[in-house]
Amino acid sequence: IFLEGWRISPPVGLAFLGGFYGTMVLCFGLLIRIFGAAGSLSPLAGKILRSVSALLLGLFGAYQLYIGIDSII
């Protein structure tokens, strides 16, 4: 995508790179703040968040296995 923008005009390619990496840095910063705030929650809230996170990750893993096995068969 960058090269397509660069062929149109170098500022277009650079704008793409700036937008892409700028968005990525801002989102990572937001995640750091969210996880930092989650660390100051009560132990019960932390346990609930870990449990929900593990459940969702397990469901996503099962879904990925289902899709992978289904594509093989």
Side-chain angles (χ1 to χ4, degrees):
I1 296 173
F2 166 72
L3 291 177
E4 290 176 20
W6 187 266
R7 285 185 194 116
I8 294 170
S9 169
V12 172
L14 293 175
F16 170 76
L17 279 181
F20 177 79
Y21 286 111
T23 302
M24 190 168 61
V25 167
L26 289 174
C27 287
F28 281 145
L30 181 63
L31 279 174
I32 289 168
R33 297 209 27 121
I34 289 171
F35 285 116
S40 65
L41 295 175
S42 69
L44 178 62
K47 186 175 181 179
I48 291 170
L49 286 175
R50 282 191 301 274
S51 298
V52 169
S53 177
L55 176 67
L56 291 175
L57 188 59
L59 289 173
F60 181 68
Y63 170 73
Q64 290 295 314
L65 283 172
Y66 173 75
I67 296 297
I69 292 171
D70 191 45
S71 69
I72 293 172
I73 295 175

Short mmCIF file of all heavy atoms in Angstrom, two decimals:
data_model
loop_
_atom_site.label_atom_id
_atom_site.label_comp_id
_atom_site.label_asym_id
_atom_site.label_seq_id
_atom_site.Cartn_x
_atom_site.Cartn_y
_atom_site.Cartn_z
N ILE A 1 0.84 -1.19 0.00
CA ILE A 1 0.00 0.00 0.00
C ILE A 1 0.88 1.25 0.00
O ILE A 1 0.57 2.21 -0.68
CB ILE A 1 -0.94 0.00 1.22
CG1 ILE A 1 -1.91 -1.18 1.14
CG2 ILE A 1 -1.72 1.29 1.30
CD1 ILE A 1 -2.74 -1.36 2.39
N PHE A 2 1.97 1.16 0.78
CA PHE A 2 2.87 2.31 0.83
C PHE A 2 3.44 2.62 -0.55
O PHE A 2 3.50 3.78 -0.96
CB PHE A 2 4.01 2.04 1.83
CG PHE A 2 5.15 2.99 1.70
CD1 PHE A 2 5.01 4.31 2.12
CD2 PHE A 2 6.35 2.60 1.15
CE1 PHE A 2 6.07 5.20 2.00
CE2 PHE A 2 7.40 3.47 1.02
CZ PHE A 2 7.27 4.78 1.46
N LEU A 3 3.86 1.58 -1.26
CA LEU A 3 4.46 1.80 -2.58
C LEU A 3 3.45 2.36 -3.58
O LEU A 3 3.81 3.18 -4.43
CB LEU A 3 5.07 0.51 -3.12
CG LEU A 3 6.32 0.03 -2.37
CD1 LEU A 3 6.80 -1.29 -2.94
CD2 LEU A 3 7.41 1.08 -2.41
N GLU A 4 2.19 1.93 -3.47
CA GLU A 4 1.16 2.50 -4.35
C GLU A 4 1.00 3.99 -4.08
O GLU A 4 0.88 4.80 -5.00
CB GLU A 4 -0.16 1.77 -4.15
CG GLU A 4 -0.15 0.35 -4.68
CD GLU A 4 -1.45 -0.38 -4.38
OE1 GLU A 4 -2.47 0.29 -4.11
OE2 GLU A 4 -1.44 -1.62 -4.44
N GLY A 5 0.98 4.35 -2.81
CA GLY A 5 0.89 5.77 -2.45
C GLY A 5 2.11 6.54 -2.89
O GLY A 5 2.02 7.68 -3.35
N TRP A 6 3.29 5.91 -2.75
CA TRP A 6 4.54 6.57 -3.16
C TRP A 6 4.56 6.81 -4.66
O TRP A 6 5.06 7.83 -5.12
CB TRP A 6 5.72 5.70 -2.74
CG TRP A 6 7.05 6.36 -2.95
CD1 TRP A 6 7.84 6.23 -4.04
CD2 TRP A 6 7.72 7.25 -2.06
NE1 TRP A 6 8.97 6.98 -3.90
CE2 TRP A 6 8.93 7.62 -2.68
CE3 TRP A 6 7.42 7.76 -0.81
CZ2 TRP A 6 9.83 8.48 -2.08
CZ3 TRP A 6 8.33 8.61 -0.22
CH2 TRP A 6 9.51 8.97 -0.85
N ARG A 7 3.99 5.86 -5.44
CA ARG A 7 3.95 6.05 -6.89
C ARG A 7 3.04 7.21 -7.28
O ARG A 7 3.29 7.90 -8.26
CB ARG A 7 3.48 4.76 -7.57
CG ARG A 7 4.54 3.69 -7.58
CD ARG A 7 4.10 2.46 -8.35
NE ARG A 7 4.99 1.37 -8.04
CZ ARG A 7 4.65 0.25 -7.43
NH1 ARG A 7 3.39 0.05 -7.08
NH2 ARG A 7 5.54 -0.69 -7.19
N ILE A 8 1.95 7.37 -6.52
CA ILE A 8 1.06 8.51 -6.78
C ILE A 8 1.79 9.80 -6.48
O ILE A 8 1.84 10.72 -7.30
CB ILE A 8 -0.23 8.40 -5.94
CG1 ILE A 8 -1.03 7.19 -6.39
CG2 ILE A 8 -1.05 9.67 -6.04
CD1 ILE A 8 -2.19 6.85 -5.47
N SER A 9 2.37 9.87 -5.30
CA SER A 9 3.11 11.04 -4.87
C SER A 9 3.84 10.67 -3.57
O SER A 9 3.24 10.07 -2.68
CB SER A 9 2.15 12.20 -4.63
OG SER A 9 2.80 13.26 -3.99
N PRO A 10 5.11 11.05 -3.44
CA PRO A 10 5.83 10.73 -2.19
C PRO A 10 5.13 11.25 -0.92
O PRO A 10 5.09 10.53 0.08
CB PRO A 10 7.20 11.38 -2.40
CG PRO A 10 7.39 11.33 -3.88
CD PRO A 10 6.02 11.58 -4.45
N PRO A 11 4.54 12.45 -0.93
CA PRO A 11 3.83 12.87 0.30
C PRO A 11 2.64 11.96 0.65
O PRO A 11 2.34 11.77 1.83
CB PRO A 11 3.34 14.28 -0.03
CG PRO A 11 4.31 14.78 -1.03
CD PRO A 11 4.66 13.58 -1.85
N VAL A 12 2.01 11.36 -0.36
CA VAL A 12 0.91 10.44 -0.08
C VAL A 12 1.44 9.20 0.61
O VAL A 12 0.85 8.71 1.60
CB VAL A 12 0.16 10.07 -1.38
CG1 VAL A 12 -0.85 8.97 -1.13
CG2 VAL A 12 -0.52 11.29 -1.97
N GLY A 13 2.55 8.66 0.15
CA GLY A 13 3.16 7.49 0.79
C GLY A 13 3.61 7.80 2.21
O GLY A 13 3.40 7.00 3.13
N LEU A 14 4.21 8.96 2.40
CA LEU A 14 4.65 9.34 3.75
C LEU A 14 3.46 9.60 4.67
O LEU A 14 3.53 9.29 5.87
CB LEU A 14 5.55 10.58 3.67
CG LEU A 14 6.89 10.35 2.97
CD1 LEU A 14 7.65 11.67 2.84
CD2 LEU A 14 7.72 9.33 3.72
N ALA A 15 2.38 10.14 4.13
CA ALA A 15 1.18 10.35 4.94
C ALA A 15 0.60 9.02 5.38
O ALA A 15 0.14 8.87 6.52
CB ALA A 15 0.14 11.13 4.15
N PHE A 16 0.64 8.02 4.51
CA PHE A 16 0.18 6.69 4.88
C PHE A 16 1.02 6.14 6.02
O PHE A 16 0.49 5.62 7.01
CB PHE A 16 0.22 5.73 3.69
CG PHE A 16 -0.01 4.30 4.09
CD1 PHE A 16 -1.28 3.85 4.40
CD2 PHE A 16 1.06 3.42 4.17
CE1 PHE A 16 -1.49 2.54 4.80
CE2 PHE A 16 0.86 2.11 4.57
CZ PHE A 16 -0.42 1.67 4.87
N LEU A 17 2.34 6.21 5.89
CA LEU A 17 3.22 5.71 6.94
C LEU A 17 2.98 6.44 8.26
O LEU A 17 2.92 5.82 9.32
CB LEU A 17 4.69 5.86 6.54
CG LEU A 17 5.25 4.81 5.62
CD1 LEU A 17 6.72 5.08 5.35
CD2 LEU A 17 5.08 3.43 6.18
N GLY A 18 2.87 7.76 8.19
CA GLY A 18 2.62 8.54 9.41
C GLY A 18 1.30 8.18 10.06
O GLY A 18 1.21 8.03 11.28
N GLY A 19 0.28 8.02 9.25
CA GLY A 19 -1.03 7.65 9.79
C GLY A 19 -1.02 6.25 10.39
O GLY A 19 -1.58 6.01 11.46
N PHE A 20 -0.36 5.33 9.71
CA PHE A 20 -0.31 3.95 10.18
C PHE A 20 0.43 3.85 11.52
O PHE A 20 -0.09 3.33 12.50
CB PHE A 20 0.36 3.07 9.14
CG PHE A 20 0.53 1.64 9.56
CD1 PHE A 20 -0.54 0.77 9.50
CD2 PHE A 20 1.76 1.19 10.03
CE1 PHE A 20 -0.38 -0.56 9.90
CE2 PHE A 20 1.91 -0.13 10.42
CZ PHE A 20 0.84 -1.00 10.36
N TYR A 21 1.66 4.36 11.54
CA TYR A 21 2.46 4.25 12.77
C TYR A 21 1.93 5.16 13.87
O TYR A 21 2.02 4.81 15.05
CB TYR A 21 3.94 4.51 12.48
CG TYR A 21 4.57 3.35 11.77
CD1 TYR A 21 4.97 3.45 10.44
CD2 TYR A 21 4.74 2.13 12.41
CE1 TYR A 21 5.53 2.37 9.79
CE2 TYR A 21 5.29 1.05 11.77
CZ TYR A 21 5.70 1.18 10.46
OH TYR A 21 6.24 0.10 9.81
N GLY A 22 1.38 6.30 13.51
CA GLY A 22 0.78 7.17 14.53
C GLY A 22 -0.40 6.50 15.21
O GLY A 22 -0.52 6.53 16.44
N THR A 23 -1.25 5.86 14.43
CA THR A 23 -2.39 5.14 14.99
C THR A 23 -1.91 3.99 15.86
O THR A 23 -2.45 3.76 16.95
CB THR A 23 -3.29 4.60 13.87
OG1 THR A 23 -3.74 5.70 13.08
CG2 THR A 23 -4.48 3.86 14.42
N MET A 24 -0.89 3.26 15.41
CA MET A 24 -0.39 2.13 16.18
C MET A 24 0.19 2.59 17.52
O MET A 24 -0.10 2.00 18.57
CB MET A 24 0.68 1.39 15.38
CG MET A 24 1.07 0.07 15.99
SD MET A 24 2.06 -0.98 14.91
CE MET A 24 3.50 0.02 14.64
N VAL A 25 0.96 3.66 17.53
CA VAL A 25 1.55 4.16 18.76
C VAL A 25 0.47 4.65 19.72
O VAL A 25 0.51 4.36 20.93
CB VAL A 25 2.57 5.28 18.45
CG1 VAL A 25 2.96 6.03 19.70
CG2 VAL A 25 3.79 4.69 17.77
N LEU A 26 -0.52 5.36 19.21
CA LEU A 26 -1.61 5.84 20.06
C LEU A 26 -2.42 4.69 20.65
O LEU A 26 -2.78 4.72 21.84
CB LEU A 26 -2.52 6.79 19.29
CG LEU A 26 -1.93 8.15 18.97
CD1 LEU A 26 -2.88 8.94 18.07
CD2 LEU A 26 -1.63 8.92 20.23
N CYS A 27 -2.70 3.67 19.87
CA CYS A 27 -3.46 2.52 20.37
C CYS A 27 -2.66 1.75 21.42
O CYS A 27 -3.23 1.33 22.44
CB CYS A 27 -3.86 1.61 19.23
SG CYS A 27 -5.17 2.30 18.20
N PHE A 28 -1.37 1.58 21.20
CA PHE A 28 -0.55 0.91 22.22
C PHE A 28 -0.50 1.73 23.50
O PHE A 28 -0.54 1.19 24.60
CB PHE A 28 0.86 0.63 21.71
CG PHE A 28 0.96 -0.57 20.81
CD1 PHE A 28 1.84 -0.58 19.75
CD2 PHE A 28 0.19 -1.69 21.03
CE1 PHE A 28 1.95 -1.68 18.93
CE2 PHE A 28 0.28 -2.80 20.21
CZ PHE A 28 1.16 -2.80 19.16
N GLY A 29 -0.41 3.03 23.37
CA GLY A 29 -0.43 3.89 24.56
C GLY A 29 -1.74 3.76 25.32
O GLY A 29 -1.75 3.72 26.55
N LEU A 30 -2.83 3.69 24.59
CA LEU A 30 -4.14 3.52 25.22
C LEU A 30 -4.22 2.17 25.93
O LEU A 30 -4.72 2.08 27.06
CB LEU A 30 -5.24 3.63 24.17
CG LEU A 30 -6.67 3.49 24.65
CD1 LEU A 30 -7.01 4.62 25.62
CD2 LEU A 30 -7.63 3.51 23.48
N LEU A 31 -3.72 1.12 25.31
CA LEU A 31 -3.72 -0.20 25.95
C LEU A 31 -2.88 -0.19 27.22
O LEU A 31 -3.26 -0.79 28.24
CB LEU A 31 -3.19 -1.26 24.99
CG LEU A 31 -4.17 -1.80 23.97
CD1 LEU A 31 -3.46 -2.72 22.99
CD2 LEU A 31 -5.30 -2.53 24.65
N ILE A 32 -1.75 0.47 27.20
CA ILE A 32 -0.90 0.55 28.38
C ILE A 32 -1.63 1.25 29.52
O ILE A 32 -1.60 0.81 30.67
CB ILE A 32 0.43 1.27 28.05
CG1 ILE A 32 1.29 0.36 27.17
CG2 ILE A 32 1.18 1.66 29.32
CD1 ILE A 32 2.48 1.05 26.56
N ARG A 33 -2.35 2.33 29.20
CA ARG A 33 -3.11 3.03 30.23
C ARG A 33 -4.25 2.19 30.78
O ARG A 33 -4.50 2.17 31.97
CB ARG A 33 -3.63 4.35 29.69
CG ARG A 33 -2.50 5.27 29.30
CD ARG A 33 -2.72 6.71 29.38
NE ARG A 33 -3.68 7.19 30.31
CZ ARG A 33 -3.39 8.04 31.28
NH1 ARG A 33 -2.15 8.43 31.44
NH2 ARG A 33 -4.32 8.51 32.06
N ILE A 34 -4.93 1.45 29.90
CA ILE A 34 -6.04 0.59 30.34
C ILE A 34 -5.52 -0.51 31.26
O ILE A 34 -6.08 -0.76 32.33
CB ILE A 34 -6.78 0.00 29.13
CG1 ILE A 34 -7.58 1.10 28.42
CG2 ILE A 34 -7.69 -1.14 29.55
CD1 ILE A 34 -8.18 0.67 27.11
N PHE A 35 -4.44 -1.19 30.85
CA PHE A 35 -3.91 -2.26 31.68
C PHE A 35 -3.30 -1.72 32.97
O PHE A 35 -3.33 -2.39 34.00
CB PHE A 35 -2.90 -3.11 30.91
CG PHE A 35 -3.55 -4.02 29.92
CD1 PHE A 35 -3.32 -3.88 28.56
CD2 PHE A 35 -4.39 -5.03 30.34
CE1 PHE A 35 -3.92 -4.72 27.65
CE2 PHE A 35 -5.00 -5.88 29.43
CZ PHE A 35 -4.76 -5.72 28.08
N GLY A 36 -2.74 -0.53 32.92
CA GLY A 36 -2.24 0.08 34.15
C GLY A 36 -3.36 0.39 35.13
O GLY A 36 -3.23 0.18 36.34
N ALA A 37 -4.49 0.87 34.60
CA ALA A 37 -5.64 1.15 35.46
C ALA A 37 -6.24 -0.15 35.99
O ALA A 37 -6.71 -0.20 37.14
CB ALA A 37 -6.69 1.94 34.69
N ALA A 38 -6.22 -1.21 35.20
CA ALA A 38 -6.77 -2.49 35.64
C ALA A 38 -5.93 -3.06 36.78
O ALA A 38 -6.45 -3.79 37.62
CB ALA A 38 -6.83 -3.47 34.48
N GLY A 39 -4.66 -2.74 36.82
CA GLY A 39 -3.80 -3.23 37.89
C GLY A 39 -4.15 -2.65 39.24
O GLY A 39 -3.81 -3.22 40.28
N SER A 40 -4.82 -1.51 39.28
CA SER A 40 -5.17 -0.89 40.54
C SER A 40 -6.56 -1.27 41.03
O SER A 40 -7.03 -0.73 42.02
CB SER A 40 -5.07 0.64 40.41
OG SER A 40 -6.05 1.10 39.49
N LEU A 41 -7.23 -2.19 40.34
CA LEU A 41 -8.55 -2.64 40.76
C LEU A 41 -8.43 -3.59 41.95
O LEU A 41 -7.34 -4.07 42.28
CB LEU A 41 -9.26 -3.34 39.61
CG LEU A 41 -9.60 -2.48 38.40
CD1 LEU A 41 -10.18 -3.35 37.30
CD2 LEU A 41 -10.58 -1.39 38.77
N SER A 42 -9.55 -3.89 42.54
CA SER A 42 -9.56 -4.81 43.69
C SER A 42 -9.17 -6.22 43.23
O SER A 42 -9.30 -6.55 42.05
CB SER A 42 -10.94 -4.83 44.33
OG SER A 42 -11.87 -5.45 43.47
N PRO A 43 -8.71 -7.05 44.15
CA PRO A 43 -8.35 -8.43 43.78
C PRO A 43 -9.52 -9.21 43.16
O PRO A 43 -9.32 -10.00 42.24
CB PRO A 43 -7.90 -9.05 45.10
CG PRO A 43 -7.46 -7.91 45.92
CD PRO A 43 -8.35 -6.76 45.53
N LEU A 44 -10.73 -8.98 43.65
CA LEU A 44 -11.89 -9.68 43.10
C LEU A 44 -12.13 -9.26 41.65
O LEU A 44 -12.37 -10.10 40.78
CB LEU A 44 -13.14 -9.40 43.94
CG LEU A 44 -14.43 -10.03 43.42
CD1 LEU A 44 -14.31 -11.55 43.40
CD2 LEU A 44 -15.62 -9.59 44.24
N ALA A 45 -12.04 -7.96 41.38
CA ALA A 45 -12.23 -7.48 40.01
C ALA A 45 -11.15 -8.04 39.09
O ALA A 45 -11.42 -8.41 37.95
CB ALA A 45 -12.22 -5.95 39.97
N GLY A 46 -9.91 -8.12 39.57
CA GLY A 46 -8.84 -8.70 38.78
C GLY A 46 -9.09 -10.16 38.47
O GLY A 46 -8.84 -10.62 37.35
N LYS A 47 -9.59 -10.88 39.47
CA LYS A 47 -9.89 -12.30 39.26
C LYS A 47 -11.00 -12.47 38.23
O LYS A 47 -10.94 -13.34 37.35
CB LYS A 47 -10.29 -12.95 40.58
CG LYS A 47 -10.49 -14.42 40.50
CD LYS A 47 -10.76 -15.04 41.86
CE LYS A 47 -10.94 -16.53 41.74
NZ LYS A 47 -11.17 -17.16 43.03
N ILE A 48 -12.02 -11.63 38.30
CA ILE A 48 -13.12 -11.69 37.34
C ILE A 48 -12.63 -11.37 35.94
O ILE A 48 -12.96 -12.07 34.97
CB ILE A 48 -14.27 -10.74 37.76
CG1 ILE A 48 -14.94 -11.27 39.03
CG2 ILE A 48 -15.28 -10.58 36.64
CD1 ILE A 48 -15.92 -10.30 39.66
N LEU A 49 -11.80 -10.33 35.81
CA LEU A 49 -11.28 -9.96 34.50
C LEU A 49 -10.40 -11.06 33.91
O LEU A 49 -10.47 -11.35 32.72
CB LEU A 49 -10.49 -8.65 34.59
CG LEU A 49 -11.31 -7.39 34.75
CD1 LEU A 49 -10.39 -6.20 34.96
CD2 LEU A 49 -12.20 -7.16 33.54
N ARG A 50 -9.58 -11.70 34.75
CA ARG A 50 -8.75 -12.81 34.26
C ARG A 50 -9.61 -13.98 33.82
O ARG A 50 -9.33 -14.61 32.80
CB ARG A 50 -7.76 -13.24 35.34
CG ARG A 50 -6.56 -12.33 35.48
CD ARG A 50 -5.49 -12.94 36.36
NE ARG A 50 -5.96 -13.24 37.71
CZ ARG A 50 -5.98 -12.38 38.73
NH1 ARG A 50 -5.57 -11.14 38.53
NH2 ARG A 50 -6.42 -12.73 39.92
N SER A 51 -10.65 -14.26 34.57
CA SER A 51 -11.53 -15.38 34.22
C SER A 51 -12.25 -15.13 32.90
O SER A 51 -12.33 -16.01 32.04
CB SER A 51 -12.54 -15.63 35.33
OG SER A 51 -11.89 -15.97 36.53
N VAL A 52 -12.78 -13.93 32.74
CA VAL A 52 -13.47 -13.58 31.50
C VAL A 52 -12.51 -13.61 30.33
O VAL A 52 -12.82 -14.13 29.26
CB VAL A 52 -14.17 -12.20 31.63
CG1 VAL A 52 -14.67 -11.71 30.29
CG2 VAL A 52 -15.30 -12.27 32.63
N SER A 53 -11.31 -13.09 30.54
CA SER A 53 -10.30 -13.08 29.49
C SER A 53 -9.92 -14.50 29.09
O SER A 53 -9.81 -14.82 27.90
CB SER A 53 -9.07 -12.32 29.98
OG SER A 53 -8.06 -12.34 29.02
N ALA A 54 -9.72 -15.39 30.07
CA ALA A 54 -9.36 -16.77 29.77
C ALA A 54 -10.50 -17.47 29.03
O ALA A 54 -10.26 -18.24 28.09
CB ALA A 54 -9.03 -17.51 31.06
N LEU A 55 -11.73 -17.22 29.44
CA LEU A 55 -12.87 -17.83 28.77
C LEU A 55 -12.96 -17.38 27.31
O LEU A 55 -13.12 -18.20 26.41
CB LEU A 55 -14.17 -17.48 29.51
CG LEU A 55 -15.46 -17.97 28.86
CD1 LEU A 55 -15.53 -19.48 28.90
CD2 LEU A 55 -16.66 -17.35 29.54
N LEU A 56 -12.84 -16.08 27.08
CA LEU A 56 -12.92 -15.57 25.72
C LEU A 56 -11.76 -16.09 24.86
O LEU A 56 -11.96 -16.44 23.69
CB LEU A 56 -12.93 -14.04 25.72
CG LEU A 56 -14.20 -13.39 26.28
CD1 LEU A 56 -14.03 -11.88 26.35
CD2 LEU A 56 -15.40 -13.76 25.45
N LEU A 57 -10.57 -16.16 25.43
CA LEU A 57 -9.42 -16.69 24.69
C LEU A 57 -9.63 -18.16 24.36
O LEU A 57 -9.31 -18.61 23.25
CB LEU A 57 -8.14 -16.48 25.48
CG LEU A 57 -6.84 -16.80 24.78
CD1 LEU A 57 -6.68 -15.95 23.52
CD2 LEU A 57 -5.68 -16.58 25.70
N GLY A 58 -10.16 -18.92 25.30
CA GLY A 58 -10.45 -20.33 25.05
C GLY A 58 -11.49 -20.51 23.96
O GLY A 58 -11.35 -21.38 23.09
N LEU A 59 -12.54 -19.70 23.99
CA LEU A 59 -13.57 -19.77 22.95
C LEU A 59 -13.00 -19.41 21.58
O LEU A 59 -13.32 -20.05 20.58
CB LEU A 59 -14.75 -18.86 23.29
CG LEU A 59 -15.63 -19.32 24.45
CD1 LEU A 59 -16.66 -18.25 24.80
CD2 LEU A 59 -16.31 -20.63 24.12
N PHE A 60 -12.16 -18.39 21.55
CA PHE A 60 -11.55 -18.00 20.29
C PHE A 60 -10.64 -19.10 19.76
O PHE A 60 -10.62 -19.39 18.56
CB PHE A 60 -10.77 -16.69 20.46
CG PHE A 60 -10.13 -16.21 19.19
CD1 PHE A 60 -10.90 -15.76 18.14
CD2 PHE A 60 -8.75 -16.21 19.05
CE1 PHE A 60 -10.32 -15.31 16.97
CE2 PHE A 60 -8.16 -15.76 17.89
CZ PHE A 60 -8.94 -15.32 16.85
N GLY A 61 -9.88 -19.75 20.65
CA GLY A 61 -9.02 -20.85 20.25
C GLY A 61 -9.83 -22.02 19.71
O GLY A 61 -9.46 -22.63 18.71
N ALA A 62 -10.94 -22.34 20.37
CA ALA A 62 -11.80 -23.42 19.89
C ALA A 62 -12.38 -23.09 18.52
O ALA A 62 -12.46 -23.95 17.64
CB ALA A 62 -12.93 -23.67 20.90
N TYR A 63 -12.76 -21.84 18.32
CA TYR A 63 -13.27 -21.40 17.03
C TYR A 63 -12.21 -21.55 15.94
O TYR A 63 -12.48 -22.04 14.84
CB TYR A 63 -13.75 -19.95 17.12
CG TYR A 63 -14.07 -19.32 15.80
CD1 TYR A 63 -15.22 -19.67 15.10
CD2 TYR A 63 -13.21 -18.38 15.24
CE1 TYR A 63 -15.52 -19.10 13.88
CE2 TYR A 63 -13.50 -17.80 14.02
CZ TYR A 63 -14.64 -18.16 13.34
OH TYR A 63 -14.92 -17.59 12.12
N GLN A 64 -10.98 -21.15 16.25
CA GLN A 64 -9.89 -21.26 15.28
C GLN A 64 -9.61 -22.73 14.94
O GLN A 64 -9.36 -23.07 13.78
CB GLN A 64 -8.63 -20.59 15.81
CG GLN A 64 -8.71 -19.09 15.89
CD GLN A 64 -8.85 -18.46 14.53
OE1 GLN A 64 -8.14 -18.81 13.59
NE2 GLN A 64 -9.76 -17.52 14.40
N LEU A 65 -9.64 -23.60 15.94
CA LEU A 65 -9.47 -25.03 15.68
C LEU A 65 -10.59 -25.55 14.79
O LEU A 65 -10.34 -26.33 13.86
CB LEU A 65 -9.43 -25.80 16.99
CG LEU A 65 -8.14 -25.73 17.78
CD1 LEU A 65 -8.32 -26.37 19.15
CD2 LEU A 65 -7.00 -26.39 17.01
N TYR A 66 -11.81 -25.16 15.08
CA TYR A 66 -12.96 -25.60 14.27
C TYR A 66 -12.79 -25.17 12.82
O TYR A 66 -12.98 -25.96 11.90
CB TYR A 66 -14.25 -25.04 14.86
CG TYR A 66 -15.45 -25.31 13.99
CD1 TYR A 66 -16.02 -26.57 13.93
CD2 TYR A 66 -16.02 -24.28 13.23
CE1 TYR A 66 -17.12 -26.82 13.13
CE2 TYR A 66 -17.11 -24.52 12.43
CZ TYR A 66 -17.66 -25.79 12.37
OH TYR A 66 -18.74 -26.02 11.58
N ILE A 67 -12.43 -23.90 12.61
CA ILE A 67 -12.25 -23.38 11.24
C ILE A 67 -11.11 -24.12 10.54
O ILE A 67 -11.23 -24.49 9.37
CB ILE A 67 -11.98 -21.86 11.27
CG1 ILE A 67 -13.19 -21.11 11.82
CG2 ILE A 67 -11.59 -21.34 9.91
CD1 ILE A 67 -14.43 -21.25 10.98
N GLY A 68 -10.01 -24.35 11.26
CA GLY A 68 -8.86 -25.03 10.66
C GLY A 68 -9.16 -26.47 10.30
O GLY A 68 -8.83 -26.94 9.21
N ILE A 69 -9.81 -27.19 11.21
CA ILE A 69 -10.15 -28.58 10.94
C ILE A 69 -11.19 -28.69 9.83
O ILE A 69 -11.10 -29.55 8.97
CB ILE A 69 -10.63 -29.27 12.24
CG1 ILE A 69 -9.45 -29.39 13.22
CG2 ILE A 69 -11.22 -30.64 11.95
CD1 ILE A 69 -9.84 -29.84 14.60
N ASP A 70 -12.14 -27.76 9.83
CA ASP A 70 -13.17 -27.76 8.80
C ASP A 70 -12.58 -27.53 7.41
O ASP A 70 -13.06 -28.08 6.42
CB ASP A 70 -14.23 -26.70 9.12
CG ASP A 70 -15.46 -26.83 8.26
OD1 ASP A 70 -15.94 -27.96 8.07
OD2 ASP A 70 -15.94 -25.78 7.77
N SER A 71 -11.54 -26.69 7.33
CA SER A 71 -10.95 -26.43 6.02
C SER A 71 -10.12 -27.61 5.53
O SER A 71 -9.92 -27.77 4.33
CB SER A 71 -10.09 -25.16 6.06
OG SER A 71 -8.94 -25.38 6.85
N ILE A 72 -9.62 -28.43 6.46
CA ILE A 72 -8.83 -29.60 6.08
C ILE A 72 -9.75 -30.73 5.59
O ILE A 72 -9.44 -31.42 4.62
CB ILE A 72 -7.97 -30.08 7.24
CG1 ILE A 72 -6.89 -29.05 7.56
CG2 ILE A 72 -7.33 -31.43 6.94
CD1 ILE A 72 -6.10 -29.35 8.80
N ILE A 73 -10.86 -30.89 6.26
CA ILE A 73 -11.76 -32.00 5.95
C ILE A 73 -12.63 -31.70 4.75
O ILE A 73 -13.04 -30.77 4.34
CB ILE A 73 -12.63 -32.35 7.17
CG1 ILE A 73 -11.73 -32.86 8.28
CG2 ILE A 73 -13.68 -33.37 6.82
CD1 ILE A 73 -12.42 -33.14 9.58
#
